[in-house]
Amino acid sequence: MSLNTQIAIAAFLGIGMGVLAQLGWIPSPETLGFIAKILGVVFTSGLKLVLMPLIFFTLASSILHLRQHRHGMRRVWQWTLGYFGVSVIIAAITGLCFVHLFKPGVGVHLNWLTATGPTIVQMDPQKVSLDFIKNALQNPVAALANQNVFAIVVFAIVVGVGLLKLGKKTEYAAQLLEEWAQLMHWCVQVMMRVAPLGVFGLLYQLAATQNMALFQQVGLFIVVVFGGTLWHGFINTPFILWILTRKNPYKVLWQAQQPLITAFSTASSSATLPVTMETVQTKLGVDPSIGAFVTSLGATVNMDGTALYEAMAALFVANLLGVHLSLIQQVVVVIVSCLASIGAPGIPSAGMVTMMMVLQAVGLPGEAVAILLPIDRLLDTVRTMVNVEGDIVGAVIVQSKCED
Ligand code: ASP
C-alpha cells in the first residue's frame, strides 16, 4: 500500500474514532487518547527535528543553483512574489464575499463574549512592524534554537547570495551545503514513514476533544469559514494554476495529498515544510532549487488561508456587534489581513495573534478574539492546508514560468 493511501486511511480513521470517542462509544478513551498524543508528538517533533537544518541547507544551496536557469534569479523572485501577492488578495476578497453572502453572526447573542477565553493584550501597529523586522533579522544561532523559521529563511538567502557572489573562493562551503541538504532530504524520507501514525494521532485528538456545545452557537460561522477556505483552495487557486500553466490543477492537488493531509493534521505550515519540499521535487517534478526557494519562503509569508480567515473573522465580529463597516473599512480589512498573514509564523493558531491587527485597524474590540479562540484549532486545519497548497501551486507556477 502506498504511503499516500496509508496517510489518507489514517486521517479517516483518526477523525472517525475521535467522533466515536466524543459520543462515548469507545471503551477506555483515555488510554487511546494518550497513545494518540504520543503518536502525534513523535510525528510533529520528528518534522521539527529536521526543519531548521533542512531549510537552511536546502534554501542556501538552492539559491546557488538558481543561477543555472536561463532567466536567472530575478525572474524566479518576480514570479514568486507576484503570485504570492495576487493570490493572497484574491483570498482575502473571497473571505469578505462569503461573509456578505451568508451573513454569519447576524442575530447571535454576545452574552458569552466577556465570559470566554483569556483577555488579549492590545497590539500597537508600530510595535508589530518593529517586532517583525527584529524577528526576520534574529541572529541565526538564536533563530535555530527558537525555531524561528523566518529568520533562518532570511539568513539562508543571505548566505546563498554570498556564495553566488564569491564563486570559486567558497567552492567547498557550497559543496558542503549541498551534501548536508541531501542528508536532510534522507532524514525527511525516514520521518515520513511514521506519518500515517502521526496523522491518526493528531486527528483523533482533534475530533475527540472539540467542544461541541460551542459549535452550535457559532456553527454557521464555522461552516462559512470551511466553505470559503475550500472555495479558495479548490476553485480559485486551481484556476490561477490552470490559467498560468495549463496544467490540470486537480491532478497536481492529488499528487500533493501528503503535504495537504500533513498540514491539515499539524495545523503548521512550518512543520509541514519538509513534506512540502519533498513532494514538489519528487512528485511534481519541480526543479529542487526552485521548489526549495518557493516553498520555504512561502511557508512563512504566503498564507492565503490565513488572510481569508482574518478578513472573514473581522466581518463576523462586526456582524456580532451589529457594526456596519463602510467600503473603505472593508478595503482596510483586506489590506491588513494580507499583511497580517505575511506576519503570521507558520505555527498553529498564529493567525489568531495577528488577527488583533485586523480588528484594531477598523476599530473593532481586540477582545473579540476570545470568541474565536475556542474554535480555532478546528478552523486552523483547513486554513493551514490552503496555506500549504498555495506554496505548492506557487512552486509549480514558478517552475513553469522560469523553465529553461
Ligand atoms: N496555522 C497556520 C499555518 O501554519 C497559521 C495560522 O494560524 O493561520 O499556516
Side-chain angles (χ1 to χ4, degrees), residues 103-109 319-320:
K103 306 194 186 326
V106 177
V108 173
H109 288 294
N319 281 351
L320 283 175

Side-chain angles (χ1 to χ4, degrees), residues 263 266-272 298-300 302-307 309-310 340-341 344-354 376 379-381 383-388 391:
T266 59
S268 166
S269 308
S270 297
T272 310
T300 60
N302 179 42
M303 297 194 181
D304 293 1
T306 303
Y309 175 67
E310 303 210 350
S341 75
I347 56 175
S349 290
M352 276 291 93
V353 181
T354 55
D376 192 58
L379 301 180
D380 209 359
T381 52
R383 87 172 175 252
T384 308
M385 188 175 84
V386 166
N387 288 346
V388 168
D391 304 337

Side-chain angles (χ1 to χ4, degrees), residues 55-65 67 73 77 140 151-167 170-178:
I55 298 174
F56 177 69
F57 293 117
T58 318
L59 182 54
S61 71
S62 77
I63 293 198
L64 266 175
H65 287 285
R67 83 182 140 185
M73 282 176 64
W77 268 108
I152 289 298
V153 167
V154 173
F155 185 60
I157 292 176
V158 173
V159 170
V161 173
L163 289 174
L164 262 183
K165 296 274 176 227
L166 292 173
T170 49
E171 219 173 335
Y172 290 117
Q175 198 179 331
L176 197 66
L177 278 181
E178 275 173 37

Side-chain angles (χ1 to χ4, degrees), residues 94-303:
T94 305
L96 282 197
C97 295
F98 264 75
V99 178
H100 280 301
L101 264 175
F102 297 101
K103 306 194 186 326
V106 177
V108 173
H109 288 294
L110 264 184
N111 42 8
W112 48 278
L113 165 62
T114 43
T116 40
T119 310
I120 310 278
V121 193
Q122 298 284 311
M123 263 191 175
D124 162 17
Q126 285 185 4
K127 187 176 173 303
V128 172
S129 351
L130 284 177
D131 285 349
F132 181 73
I133 297 171
K134 278 191 207 154
N135 195 29
L137 301 179
Q138 192 176 35
N139 94 61
V141 179
L144 277 178
N146 299 332
Q147 299 256 355
N148 177 350
V149 175
F150 196 36
I152 289 298
V153 167
V154 173
F155 185 60
I157 292 176
V158 173
V159 170
V161 173
L163 289 174
L164 262 183
K165 296 274 176 227
L166 292 173
K168 282 239 170 294
K169 282 189 210 153
T170 49
E171 219 173 335
Y172 290 117
Q175 198 179 331
L176 197 66
L177 278 181
E178 275 173 37
E179 288 175 10
W180 269 95
Q182 279 180 21
L183 182 57
M184 289 302 122
H185 283 299
W186 178 84
C187 293
V188 174
Q189 280 160 4
V190 173
M191 292 304 167
M192 282 314 286
R193 301 217 181 118
V194 297
L197 293 175
V199 165
F200 169 82
L202 291 168
L203 292 181
Y204 173 84
Q205 285 176 76
L206 176 68
T209 57
Q210 290 304 311
N211 177 350
M212 294 297 177
L214 250 165
F215 290 173
Q216 285 162 6
Q217 299 191 47
V218 278
L220 179 61
F221 177 63
I222 294 174
V223 172
V224 175
V225 170
F226 267 81
T229 315
L230 294 177
W231 177 278
H232 184 73
F234 287 100
I235 308 285
N236 294 350
T237 308
F239 185 65
I240 301 176
L241 176 62
W242 180 76
I243 284 281
L244 293 175
T245 67
R246 299 286 153 176
K247 280 184 200 297
N248 178 346
Y250 298 105
K251 214 165 144 192
V252 171
L253 295 187
W254 181 254
Q255 281 160 334
Q257 30 177 308
Q258 274 186 26
L260 296 183
I261 296 178
T262 308
F264 185 92
S265 51
T266 59
S268 166
S269 308
S270 297
T272 310
L273 183 57
V275 192
T276 315
M277 243 185 220
E278 199 63 29
T279 301
V280 294
Q281 293 174 17
T282 55
K283 298 227 165 79
L284 298 171
V286 175
D287 180 286
S289 54
I290 291 181
F293 176 74
V294 180
T295 56
S296 40
L297 193 61
T300 60
V301 301
N302 179 42
M303 297 194 181

Side-chain angles (χ1 to χ4, degrees), residues 355-369:
M355 175 85 229
M356 301 290 294
M357 268 168 67
V358 186
L359 293 176
Q360 287 175 9
V362 287
L364 292 167
E367 287 77 9
V369 170

